[in-house]
Amino acid sequence: MASQAEVVAMGRAVELAARGLGTTSPNPVVGCVILDARGAVVGEGFHAYAGGPHAEIVALANAGDRARGGTVVVTLEPCDHHGVTGPCSRALIHAGVARVVIGVTDPNTHASGGVKTLRDAGIDVEIGVRAAEVEAGNIAWLTAVRRHRPYLIWKYAATLDGRSAAADGSSMWITSEAARMDVHAHRSTVDAVIVGVGTVLADDPQLTARNLRDGSLAIRQPLRVVVDSGGRTPPDARVRDGAAPTWIATAAEVGEPGGDQVDLHRLLTRLYERDVRAALLEGGPRLAGAFLARGLVDKVIGYLAPKLLGAGPTALVDAGVGTIADAIELELIDVTRIGPDLRFTALPRKVES
Ligand SMILES: NC(=O)c1ccc[n+]([C@@H]2O[C@H](COP(=O)([O-])OP(=O)(O)OC[C@H]3O[C@@H](n4cnc5c(N)ncnc54)[C@H](OP(=O)(O)O)[C@@H]3O)[C@@H](O)[C@H]2O)c1
């Protein structure tokens, strides 16, 4: 059973892991704390970027000789493979630690096996400490690796009566600058932004992550994905401007054999193979409906402006719901005011792999 000091250290490791959010993909975020035999913290570390040292290696370097005989508290099972860096399990054995406390095991079959290697070397291993918090802190990566598809977040903006545009089609701007800045900040933390060709034809969005005040681009740009069965994206569309990588996904590439529409499961599998672990689905209503109808949305973020239109297109179309008993139910996990608007975050109760 984990000691009080180990439980506290796991909370700290979750905080440390969060510092890597948005920069470690396709790797997970990981935090690590090393305690000496008396339970005092002697080292800390986190995984900061893909290709950089793993959290355990940073914490071991930080602790030096004080790690010998101590306890390593780490959010994710130490890796056991020779990736860009050597296996963390061997580094822990070499450092002479006595005990390893793990939040969750690694679902990635290439990297897992660290627990067995550590136990075989006589190290005491405990798994599952503060597991719910650890899971929540790494949910996009864990979900993606378990399902072999990106963690999909549907983001939309609407009026309080659920309209995404007015009756004449005008939609700029439903929500405030503050809400749109929030979206741009979010874009720079995901690996891909997805829209349907209908949105490209209607709005010609650039889909980059940028500072709305001065137009400067964020250092990290997500892959721009247009779901465009028949290749109708115009040659001069802004998504093709070279400011970020772009994939126009057509039915010829990711359709069912003989089918004339993009197959959304195949699309997600292909994105996973391209190292996309978290993706922001930015609409429009038809594509969002298609993903939701298939149970492929993991999280919903809605920006609601305190406006009413009474007419005009809705934020969601054809989500496969014909009767109230079939409504897609969500669990509301956060409501935040952003400038004059409301941002809510919710989790669909039923998600398919
Ligand atoms: N308020 C918001 O948050 C928001 C966000 C985005 C857009 N919008 C608005 O939405 C409007 C455009 O709506 P929309 O519904 O036409 O756009 P959309 O959802 O972006 O695009 C729909 C198109 O996606 C393509 N698609 C490819 N594979 C699909 C599949 N498996 N299932 C469904 N669709 C697939 C279809 O065209 P193909 O068959 O040719 O592939 C379909 O017509 C615009 O007016 C825009 O302003 C609002």
Side-chain angles (χ1 to χ4, degrees):
M1 172 136 164
S3 69
Q4 184 58 22
E6 290 167 354
V7 171
V8 171
M10 186 63 82
R12 173 69 181 150
V14 170
E15 277 173 22
L16 290 165
R19 294 191 191 170
L21 278 171
T23 53
T24 64
S25 193
N27 290 347
V29 293
V30 186
C32 180
V33 173
I34 302 182
L35 305 173
D36 68 12
R38 291 169 301 121
V41 175
V42 293
E44 287 189 346
F46 68 97
H47 184 44
Y49 57 95
H54 289 187
E56 300 91 317
I57 305 304
V58 179
L60 281 176
N62 195 223
D65 272 351
R66 294 172 300 172
R68 193 161 293 281
T71 297
V72 172
V73 178
V74 61
T75 53
L76 187 71
E77 176 181 6
C79 71
D80 198 39
H81 73 139
H82 288 271
V84 179
T85 60
C88 290
S89 52
R90 312 282 157 168
L92 295 174
I93 294 165
H94 185 72
V97 307
R99 180 168 151 82
V100 176
V101 176
I102 295 167
V104 295
T105 52
D106 192 333
N108 188 345
T109 45
H110 299 305
S112 63
V115 167
K116 181 172 185 314
T117 302
L118 292 168
R119 283 187 173 144
D120 287 352
I123 293 175
D124 182 33
V125 178
E126 180 159 346
I127 302 165
V129 174
R130 295 181 86 150
E133 284 159 76
V134 171
E135 281 263 345
N138 209 0
I139 191 69
W141 186 84
L142 286 168
T143 305
V145 173
R146 285 177 189 144
R147 297 183 190 278
H148 294 275
R149 65 159 179 83
Y151 183 78
L152 194 63
I153 304 155
W154 172 44
K155 165 259 145 187
Y156 72 96
T159 60
L160 278 191
D161 56 336
R163 311 268 170 192
S164 62
D168 67 355
S170 56
S171 62
M172 295 208 178
W173 299 99
I174 288 181
T175 48
S176 62
E177 185 184 60
R180 284 180 281 120
M181 284 176 70
D182 195 59
V183 171
H184 279 264
H186 199 167
R187 275 186 192 161
S188 70
T189 69
V190 295
D191 306 312
V193 173
I194 306 172
V195 294
V197 66
T199 297
V200 170
L201 294 174
D203 299 344
D204 194 19
Q206 192 191 18
L207 293 179
T208 49
R210 56 192 188 277
N211 181 326
L212 286 187
R213 297 247 161 87
D214 63 14
S216 59
L217 291 173
I219 294 171
R220 195 167 176 275
Q221 290 295 329
L223 172 70
R224 300 177 288 188
V225 181
V226 182
V227 186
D228 179 5
S229 308
R232 293 189 287 144
T233 300
D236 59 348
R238 293 173 74 211
V239 287
R240 296 194 195 258
D241 66 2
T246 302
W247 179 32
I248 311 291
T250 61
E253 266 185 290
V254 276
E256 277 196 53
D260 57 4
Q261 243 195 349
V262 166
D263 178 278
L264 301 182
H265 285 97
R266 281 171 197 246
L267 174 89
L268 293 183
T269 302
R270 189 66 68 82
L271 287 172
Y272 185 79
E273 287 164 1
R274 286 180 74 155
D275 278 350
V276 173
R277 297 290 174 268
L280 202 55
L281 170 63
E282 296 210 23
R286 211 165 302 278
L287 189 64
F291 272 110
L292 279 158
R294 288 162 179 76
L296 293 172
V297 172
D298 297 293
K299 191 192 240 186
V300 177
I301 301 180
Y303 294 87
L304 296 181
K307 293 174 186 167
L308 299 169
L309 286 168
T314 53
L316 189 62
V317 171
D318 289 342
V321 179
T323 180
I324 192 73
D326 295 339
I328 297 165
E329 291 195 28
L330 310 173
E331 181 197 352
L332 195 58
I333 58 166
D334 181 65
V335 179
T336 301
R337 193 174 164 147
I338 309 239
D341 304 318
L342 273 189
R343 182 192 64 196
F344 77 82
T345 308
L347 306 177
R349 290 195 192 276
K350 263 179 68 183
V351 180
E352 309 292 325
S353 55

